[in-house]
Amino acid sequence: MNKDIVLLGGNSRLTLKNCNQVARENARVAIAGDAESLMDKSHEVLLKYMEERVPIYGLNTQFGGQVNMLDSNMTNHSDDYHKSSRERQYNLIKSHDCGLGEEAPEEITRSAMMLRAHCISLGYSGVRPVVAQALINFLNKGIHPIIRKYGSIGASGDLIPLSAIAHALIGGKTDVYFKKEKMRIAEALKETGLDKFKLEGREGLALINGTSFMTGIAALAVYDLKRLFPQMLSAIAMSLESLMVIGSAYNPLVHELKRHKGSMLVNDFLNDFWKGNKLIQSLTDIRKENLRSFKSNHSVETVKGIQDCYSLRSVPQGFGPFQENLEKSAGWIEDEMNSVNDNPIINVEADKIYQAANFMGYYVTESCDILKMDIAQASTWLHAILANLVHPRKNLGLPANLVSHPEINNGFRPIQILAASLAVQNRKLAQSQQAFMIPTEGDNQDVNSLAAHAAFDLREAAENLERLTAMMLLASAQALELRGISKASNQAKKIHKTIREKSEFVEADRPLSGDIELVIKLMREEKI
């Protein structure tokens, strides 16, 4: 694959990275070399069935629960049959472009267009190559239809959101963004020299009857989480260093005996991160100190116990499932990105047309619901560690609020309040969207996945987790500096240096919102 062009359809396979390249970096896209012939062959099969007047869903029938309504011109051999078929496709798109709510970000629109073009270009939809090319032209020219947030229920795919794209393709009375300006699609087509697309066969249905919108949202969110997860573990590792945790809980044997792959991977990450540190404490030394204190002071209460509280002691056991679920979900989302999620599906070799339900988004919903739950747990955990950092009864000698003069400065105490706000929101977002399924469309869609809802929730939750991670990085950098940065691990020193290039040590109170945003920018640029 040309590194500057993302190929769609045929034998090409898209990755989360490809989605990010096209959606956010405006990478160019093109139809793979073997895709056009595959589309042509499936189109020929569909035309044959059409001319033989075989009832095919959405071609010569109504849609959804009204599939029992056949085209009144089915037995008519005049042009009326083809005219009514075309009219049905146009009416499908115009009627379903009825979404409401805030506008979806440009990157989601681009992601959805790419995935729809890829699905069509796999050659099982019975449409002409020009359908995929029309979507590709919008991507490469930078025409972005306006999609509203609400409309999809994740069954029959994303009918309403994808109709917003299709309506722009056919030059309907709708708005788009071109060169960051909102304008009528007719104006954008004129400026780019493109013609409005003319539908044939079942091409209107092929453009909207799939999972491209929900998957596009989820793909970008999961891509971000895969980048964010090690950054979050780094923030945790720095915090645990500054809190001088006991290393016993992170002995590799402990996690080998636990048997879970994710737990071992997280534990290995932490131990690798801590190389060179002089802050992680030895259990043997703590035991000796406790005995010395007991013998000299005759006090049953020691400065530090022989094991830490759960948030400081059980990170591998708590974040191991997150690691495994993230890998599993990334695989599911990439499979959905590369799926034939249309209906009907054409088997060229068998000369058959299957009417099925590949437009269902349950794998997307499941991925998002699982990850939202993990994010909620992680958010609560980060808040707990932050509490350990800022409160003197828990932070083993660090100053209250992580500032030198806590009697007059609030330091990082308000940041814990902010963390609580974000953690609570993520806990609310963790509710399973699948549990809210509601029958609709005359009970034809009597079960549905609500995958777009779940994907939007995941997107918001991931953004909040990113904010929490940035806050933890700032707090742990402050704590390590107070503890003595020379004692920190090699990795912690590098991250501390990077942070200090953008955010100064908090000596006296100042608003930290800008500092948090600067750290987020460093994270997105993968400088941390």
Side-chain angles (χ1 to χ4, degrees), residues 13-17 215 218-227 322-338 363-364 366-368 370-371 458:
R13 180 174 173 84
L14 295 177
T15 64
L16 296 174
K17 182 178 180 180
T215 308
L220 292 172
V222 173
Y223 177 86
D224 290 341
L225 272 178
K226 284 181 69 67
R227 182 261 302 165
F322 193 167
Q323 192 278 334
E324 293 191 53
N325 285 334
L326 181 54
E327 290 304 313
K328 179 174 68 175
S329 295
W332 280 356
I333 296 299
E334 285 195 344
D335 283 345
E336 191 66 39
M337 288 169 59
N338 291 284
Y363 276 94
V364 176
E366 186 78 11
S367 298
C368 295
I370 288 171
L371 291 175
L458 176 63

Side-chain angles (χ1 to χ4, degrees), residues 147-199:
I147 306 175
R148 301 289 176 176
K149 182 176 181 180
Y150 293 114
S152 174
I153 58 166
S156 276
D158 299 301
L159 294 174
I160 290 174
L162 293 178
S163 289
I165 297 172
H167 199 191
L169 285 175
I170 64 174
K173 294 178 180 179
T174 186
D175 290 334
V176 297
Y177 282 103
F178 179 63
K179 295 181 179 178
K180 305 297 181 182
E181 292 184 18
K182 184 183 284 191
M183 62 182 68
R184 298 302 266 179
I185 181 58
E187 185 180 347
L189 291 174
K190 183 178 179 181
E191 285 201 35
T192 55
L194 296 174
D195 295 321
K196 61 183 180 180
F197 186 73
K198 296 179 180 179
L199 299 168

Side-chain angles (χ1 to χ4, degrees), residues 122-369:
L122 292 171
Y124 292 89
S125 295
V127 302
R128 299 167 295 159
V130 289
V131 182
Q133 190 59 53
L135 288 162
I136 288 170
N137 289 342
F138 269 35
L139 283 166
N140 289 341
K141 296 285 187 180
I143 298 176
H144 303 121
I146 296 172
I147 306 175
R148 301 289 176 176
K149 182 176 181 180
Y150 293 114
S152 174
I153 58 166
S156 276
D158 299 301
L159 294 174
I160 290 174
L162 293 178
S163 289
I165 297 172
H167 199 191
L169 285 175
I170 64 174
K173 294 178 180 179
T174 186
D175 290 334
V176 297
Y177 282 103
F178 179 63
K179 295 181 179 178
K180 305 297 181 182
E181 292 184 18
K182 184 183 284 191
M183 62 182 68
R184 298 302 266 179
I185 181 58
E187 185 180 347
L189 291 174
K190 183 178 179 181
E191 285 201 35
T192 55
L194 296 174
D195 295 321
K196 61 183 180 180
F197 186 73
K198 296 179 180 179
L199 299 168
E200 291 185 9
R202 62 169 300 273
E203 290 170 353
L205 182 60
L207 282 167
I208 72 171
N209 198 24
T211 63
S212 305
F213 182 66
M214 62 181 87
T215 308
I217 304 165
L220 292 172
V222 173
Y223 177 86
D224 290 341
L225 272 178
K226 284 181 69 67
R227 182 261 302 165
L228 176 58
F229 190 78
Q231 294 171 331
M232 176 184 65
L233 290 184
S234 297
I236 292 171
M238 290 173 67
S239 299
L240 298 187
E241 275 188 71
S242 69
L243 290 165
M244 300 172 65
V245 297
I246 302 170
S248 170
Y250 297 94
N251 187 287
L253 176 64
V254 171
H255 301 281
E256 290 170 14
L257 295 174
K258 184 68 172 171
R259 305 296 182 197
H260 293 292
K261 178 183 176 182
S263 180
M264 288 185 275
L265 287 171
V266 170
N267 193 63
D268 288 345
F269 180 97
L270 295 173
N271 281 311
D272 286 343
F273 188 98
W274 286 330
K275 287 177 180 175
N277 91 86
K278 299 180 181 66
L279 292 169
I280 305 296
Q281 297 191 75
S282 160
L283 178 57
T284 301
D285 291 343
I286 294 291
R287 285 170 173 161
K288 289 178 180 177
E289 180 58 34
N290 284 353
L291 283 172
R292 277 196 299 269
S293 176
F294 178 73
K295 289 176 181 178
S296 61
N297 301 325
H298 301 288
S299 173
V300 295
E301 186 173 344
T302 58
V303 174
K304 182 176 176 66
I306 57 173
Q307 61 184 28
D308 294 305
C309 65
Y310 288 4
S311 64
L312 308 183
R313 183 169 24 125
S314 55
V315 172
Q317 295 91 337
F319 286 81
F322 193 167
Q323 192 278 334
E324 293 191 53
N325 285 334
L326 181 54
E327 290 304 313
K328 179 174 68 175
S329 295
W332 280 356
I333 296 299
E334 285 195 344
D335 283 345
E336 191 66 39
M337 288 169 59
N338 291 284
S339 70
V340 177
N341 47 82
D342 205 346
N343 178 48
I345 290 172
I346 296 169
N347 183 340
V348 173
E349 292 182 4
D351 193 31
K352 290 185 177 180
I353 299 180
Y354 309 122
Q355 290 170 198
N358 273 9
F359 47 66
M360 278 292 192
Y362 281 99
Y363 276 94
V364 176
T365 319
E366 186 78 11
S367 298
C368 295
D369 278 354

Side-chain angles (χ1 to χ4, degrees), residues 46-47 64 281 436 513:
L46 184 74
L47 284 178
Q281 297 191 75
F436 292 96
S513 298

